[in-house]
Structures are given as structure tokens and as C-alpha cells.
Amino acid sequence: MVFIAGVASGALGLVLGGVVGSVWERYHRRRRAPADVPSAAIETSGAEAGVDAARVRAPTKGALSPTFESSVAASDYLALLRMVSAESHDAARAASALAQTVNISARHEGVLVGVARVITDGYRYAALADIVVHPDYQRRGVGRQLMRRALDATPNGVLYVNARSGSTPFFERIGGERGTPGFVMRWMSEPGLRRPHTGETL
């Protein structure tokens, strides 16, 4: 009887330990996760807004009502990118990229807190180039509001998103629908392809 009681209490301890550990891990993972920043957005040679490299702490938690603009300076965009990505970016090429996309920036009390960029032909097609939210302003509705305005910038109300790994929960939360599988084509990936303008066979 004593043996059975010992085994039962040990099993109960394992179960409780697993539950507590799972809750603890989920709590900290959620605190670390940049849920308002679709990783898909931190690609291309530019990615988001600007402030000084020193982060500006958000005054309070809760939803924000930022002001939105249809432009963003390349220097601000790169400054924000540096806060969310270790990638280096070329300032001139970032400025060129910004000139070719529809840009939506969000500011709160003068601080650039987010940027979304849309690539579109103005007639049938629009895709999200990138979206990024200042780390101190994530999970406060900024990403959702940027995506709503990005959708408004499409010619027919459809925005294609190439979501990176880990960013799908964000897009699902804001109403995104899973589409058909996508592909990425790269030079050197297929024998016989010719590089544009040079005629060089790869």
C-alpha cells in the first residue's frame, strides 16, 4: 500500500510539474514573441521605420491610436529596421526601394512606431513588401492598423502576403486566409537558366 501511494504521488508530481512548466514556458515565449511583426515583413532591403537606436519606451500598455502618413524617410526606416533585425542594409538602395512602393508609416507622439510597404501594379496585383513595428510598441494594435491601411492601398481589395516562419499567427489573427502554396525562384537554382541581359548560362 505504501509503495502504491508513493508511485501515485510521484506520478501526480510529474503531471503537475509538466503543467506548471508548460504554462511558464508559454508565458515567457509570448512575452518574447514579436507577434505584431510578421517576420515576412522584415525582408527586402529596408523594412521599417525610424527612431534613434536608443529605444523609446512606450508609456503605457494597451491599444494605441497612432497617426499615419503615406511616406517615410529612408533614414527613419533603416533605424527602425536595426531595432528588429541584425541584417545590414544599404541606405541608397533602401531609398530606391521606398520610392517604388506604397509606404504607410505610423507615429505615436512623434515616434515612428511602424511601417508597412506594398508593391502593386495599380490594377490587379498587390503584395506586402514588408511590415515592421517598433519592439516597444508591439501587441498594441499598430500592426493590425498598418495592415488595414495596406489593404486599403490595393487596387482590388486583395493583398498577397508571403508570411515567413513564425509570422502566420499574426496574419491569422487579423483575418488572413491561407492561400495556395508559393515558390521562390533563385539564380543558380535551376540548370540552364540564363541570367538577364548577359545571356550567361547558369
Side-chain angles (χ1 to χ4, degrees):
M1 185 65 78
V2 174
F3 175 77
I4 293 174
V7 170
S9 62
L12 180 61
L14 284 173
V15 171
L16 288 175
V19 170
V20 171
S22 175
V23 170
W24 180 264
E25 182 180 354
R26 184 175 302 169
Y27 170 76
H28 284 282
R29 184 180 299 156
R30 184 169 289 179
R31 287 193 56 164
R32 289 193 305 265
D36 232 356
V37 187
S39 310
I42 307 170
E43 195 175 331
T44 70
S45 57
E48 280 74 59
V51 196
D52 289 334
R55 290 186 180 181
V56 180
R57 273 285 153 198
T60 56
K61 283 295 179 185
L64 292 181
S65 297
T67 57
F68 295 90
E69 300 172 2
S70 58
S71 63
V72 62
S75 58
D76 287 345
Y77 176 74
L78 292 175
L80 186 57
L81 273 185
R82 285 193 291 271
M83 292 187 176
V84 299
S85 171
E87 295 179 65
S88 60
H89 300 279
D90 181 272
R93 296 183 71 179
S96 176
L98 288 169
Q100 299 176 65
T101 54
V102 176
N103 307 309
I104 305 150
S105 60
R107 290 184 180 274
H108 179 67
E109 298 180 351
V111 175
L112 182 59
V113 297
V115 172
R117 296 175 52 230
V118 175
I119 299 171
T120 179
D121 62 8
Y123 174 49
R124 290 175 57 91
Y125 179 78
L128 184 69
D130 53 20
I131 178 174
V132 69
V133 175
H134 190 297
D136 291 338
Y137 291 82
Q138 293 169 14
R139 292 186 173 277
R140 301 183 67 185
V142 177
R144 181 184 296 266
Q145 294 178 72
L146 283 169
M147 287 300 297
R148 185 177 300 128
R149 284 162 175 78
L151 192 57
D152 288 342
T154 64
N156 60 3
V158 177
L159 182 65
Y160 293 93
V161 177
N162 181 22
R164 281 189 174 182
S165 175
S167 66
T168 52
F170 168 81
F171 292 107
E172 288 173 339
R173 273 202 314 276
I174 64 172
E177 301 173 7
R178 289 184 178 269
T180 56
F183 297 89
V184 177
M185 299 291 292
R186 303 182 192 277
W187 287 114
M188 303 300 290
S189 65
E190 184 67 31
L193 289 181
R194 293 183 177 274
R195 189 181 297 278
H197 311 302
T198 67
E200 175 188 355
T201 300
L202 303 177

